[in-house]
């Protein structure tokens, strides 16, 4: 089990599933949504995600057709994304986990948009 929270701590959640690998997404919408060179995320079963508190502080933005990005409306931390068409999964924004992220292996996706940080 893992827990995570937004930057201000208003939104807290638990994840009751094993996570082994997380993905570094270099796509342009992740870049803008996170205002960062890339975002790390992991797809999990929606049933394994549980809000501990802060539900009233969540706001969703439809960043592309049928994809909603959910963030804390106080501090702006992106918590997860979901597609109503795929109700059984959600895409957790792994950087909000309160755990050592180095325990996970990393895969890179949408590398055609990757920014050269070297
Ligand atoms: Zn917050
Ligand atoms: Zn992306």
């Amino acid at each position: 089990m893992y827990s995570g929270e937004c930057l201000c701590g208003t939104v807290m959640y638990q994840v009751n599933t094993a996570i082994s690998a997380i993905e570094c997404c270099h796509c342009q919408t992740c870049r803008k949504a996170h205002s960062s060179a890339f975002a790390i995320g992991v797809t999990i079963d929606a049933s394994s995600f549980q809000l501990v508190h802060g539900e009233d502080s969540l706001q969703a933005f439809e960043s592309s057709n049928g994809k909603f990005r959910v963030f804390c409306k106080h501090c702006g931390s992106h918590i997860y994304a979901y597609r109503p068409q795929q109700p059984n999964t959600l895409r957790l924004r792994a950087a909000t986990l309160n755990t050592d992220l180095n325990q996970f292996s990393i895969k890179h996706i949408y590398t055609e948009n990757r920014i050269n940080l070297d």
Side-chain angles (χ1 to χ4, degrees):
M1 183 186 341
Y2 305 94
S3 69
E5 61 191 335
C6 64
L7 178 60
C8 75
T10 303
V11 177
M12 188 171 196
Y13 63 84
Q14 287 181 339
V15 174
N16 298 302
T17 191
I19 296 172
S20 56
I22 54 180
E23 288 171 332
C24 238
C25 186
H26 299 269
C27 84
Q28 293 187 34
T29 50
C30 278
R31 196 184 78 209
K32 293 203 173 195
H34 293 263
S35 189
S36 184
F38 55 83
I40 53 174
V42 59
T43 300
I44 59 172
D45 287 343
S47 61
S48 71
F49 180 87
Q50 250 184 335
L51 272 175
V52 177
H53 54 71
E55 187 164 11
D56 292 348
S57 298
L58 289 176
Q59 182 96 38
F61 170 69
E62 190 173 9
S63 61
S64 51
N65 203 14
K67 178 170 181 172
F68 292 83
R69 292 175 181 268
V70 179
F71 58 93
C72 170
K73 63 185 179 189
H74 299 293
C75 68
S77 283
H78 190 346
I79 309 292
Y80 64 90
Y82 74 100
R83 293 176 182 274
Q85 302 268 41
Q86 296 162 23
N88 297 328
T89 58
L90 58 80
R91 185 84 175 155
L92 183 71
R93 314 323 286 193
T96 58
L97 286 166
N98 290 332
T99 190
D100 178 12
L101 298 172
N102 287 313
Q103 69 187 291
F104 306 122
S105 63
I106 298 273
K107 231 173 82 180
H108 291 270
I109 58 173
Y110 288 94
T111 50
E112 63 273 24
N113 296 318
R114 188 174 182 159
I115 296 170
N116 182 3
L117 298 170
D118 296 329

